[in-house]
Amino acid sequence: MRYFTSSYLSVIKAVTILLLTFPGVIKIAAAEKNHLNNHFPETASVTVTIHVTLSTGESPEGTMLTMTGVQNPSLYYEQTAPSSGEVVFTGVTEANYTIHAALQGFYEFDTVMTITSNRQIPVILREITYKPRNLSVDSLSLRASWQVPDPEEKSLERRLSAIIKPGDKNAVFRSVKRGTGSGHRALSGYGVFLDGLLVGNTTDTSFVFEPLVFGQSYLAGVAAVYSSGYSEQDTSRFTSKFLFPPRNTSGVIPEMTDYGHITWEAPEDPQ
């Protein structure tokens, strides 16, 4: 049997009375501790690997990549992509980040992402392209003509801005148009379309369509050709007034006369 001294029993009795008398003191102390923990949450560092590729298939070397904290801009990380396109950010504090990628000649990329674990982020940058301007079609001759693209012409802002949920491991992010982007690249020609179908290519700024049905409406289109493909089309709707002309027209003026003989053959419709 264990025996307790009178002084030990007195201490037990005092503690019991304190707990019975002031039960709220213990609860308040616990609440204060939780509040402090929530106000200054513990953070962990993770590794973020970004893989950059270009729509042209060229090396992404020189692409500037940054990660900036949404709530805390002092969380800032910056690197330039090598020729492999792989950039590794280590020691990244868990938080919400704006991820930005930029390379001259390509549309800029922005997205907001919550980083709470190691991530692999594939990013595709699209080449800046500009469509031809002021397409028109002569309804009699069926000659289409247009002007070269103007890199200074502003277009509608449509930058990708996606909020990605944690755990989305399969997302591939592509940059899309925003203004004129940064820089532009040379085009190699034009693709000509009729009712959405490619009918020819040219390096000139005009093109003659094959004979079309008289009185029928058509939608002409022209797109600039860049290393990554066709630009957006400039389009123009027209109604064909084309009629096959006479063939083999010739003429002769007899000597010592002021008149001429003109001959021709009837039009021929190969259709």
Side-chain angles (χ1 to χ4, degrees), residues 242-261:
F242 174 82
L243 293 172
F244 287 94
R247 299 176 300 122
N248 301 324
T249 302
S250 63
V252 61
I253 300 177
E255 293 184 6
M256 308 300 292
T257 65
D258 58 357
Y259 59 86
H261 293 287

Side-chain angles (χ1 to χ4, degrees), residues 5 15 18 64 73 76 79 102 120 127 132 153 161 168 180 210 214 219 221 235 258 265:
T5 64
V15 171
L18 177 63
M64 178 63 68
Y76 180 80
Q79 283 197 55
Q120 300 274 341
E127 181 183 26
E153 190 175 72
S161 181
D168 185 359
T180 58
E210 295 292 331
F214 181 87
L219 181 66
T235 59
D258 58 357
E265 295 181 24

Side-chain angles (χ1 to χ4, degrees), residues 2-50:
R2 178 176 295 179
Y3 297 95
F4 299 96
T5 64
S6 58
S7 59
Y8 181 81
L9 292 175
S10 299
V11 171
I12 296 288
K13 182 177 179 180
V15 171
T16 303
I17 294 174
L18 177 63
L19 293 176
L20 293 176
T21 307
F22 303 103
V25 174
I26 305 302
K27 294 182 179 179
I28 292 174
E32 283 295 324
K33 180 179 180 181
N34 291 333
H35 173 74
L36 291 175
N37 288 338
N38 291 332
H39 192 67
F40 300 101
E42 294 183 1
T43 58
S45 62
V46 298
T47 298
V48 177
T49 304
I50 299 179

Side-chain angles (χ1 to χ4, degrees), residues 88-237:
V88 180
F89 294 97
T90 58
V92 176
T93 301
E94 294 182 8
N96 292 329
Y97 287 92
T98 296
I99 299 175
H100 178 78
L103 179 66
Q104 184 174 6
F106 294 82
Y107 291 111
E108 296 178 2
F109 164 86
D110 275 309
T111 190
V112 176
M113 181 177 295
T114 301
I115 303 295
T116 58
S117 61
N118 296 341
R119 296 297 300 268
Q120 300 274 341
I121 305 174
V123 171
I124 297 177
L125 295 184
R126 290 183 53 206
E127 181 183 26
I128 294 175
T129 61
Y130 299 91
K131 69 179 183 180
R133 301 172 296 129
N134 302 324
L135 170 65
S136 63
V137 180
D138 186 307
S139 59
L140 290 175
S141 66
L142 302 183
R143 177 178 291 276
S145 58
W146 57 89
Q147 293 178 303
V148 299
D150 181 6
E152 301 302 322
E153 190 175 72
K154 293 182 180 180
S155 59
L156 181 65
E157 294 187 358
R158 295 185 298 171
R159 176 181 293 185
L160 179 67
S161 181
I163 299 177
I164 307 302
K165 297 179 180 179
D168 185 359
K169 304 296 184 182
N170 300 317
V172 176
F173 308 103
R174 293 174 173 83
S175 62
V176 296
K177 294 182 180 179
R178 179 184 177 94
T180 58
S182 55
H184 63 280
R185 296 155 61 89
L187 57 88
S188 59
Y190 302 93
V192 182
F193 299 79
L194 190 66
D195 288 341
L197 299 177
L198 180 67
V199 295
N201 288 90
T202 179
T203 56
D204 200 356
T205 55
S206 65
F207 182 88
V208 179
F209 291 108
E210 295 292 331
L212 301 174
V213 177
F214 181 87
Q216 184 167 321
S217 178
Y218 297 90
L219 181 66
V222 61
V225 181
Y226 292 86
S227 57
S228 61
Y230 291 105
S231 71
E232 183 181 353
Q233 293 183 36
D234 189 28
T235 59
S236 176
R237 183 165 291 280

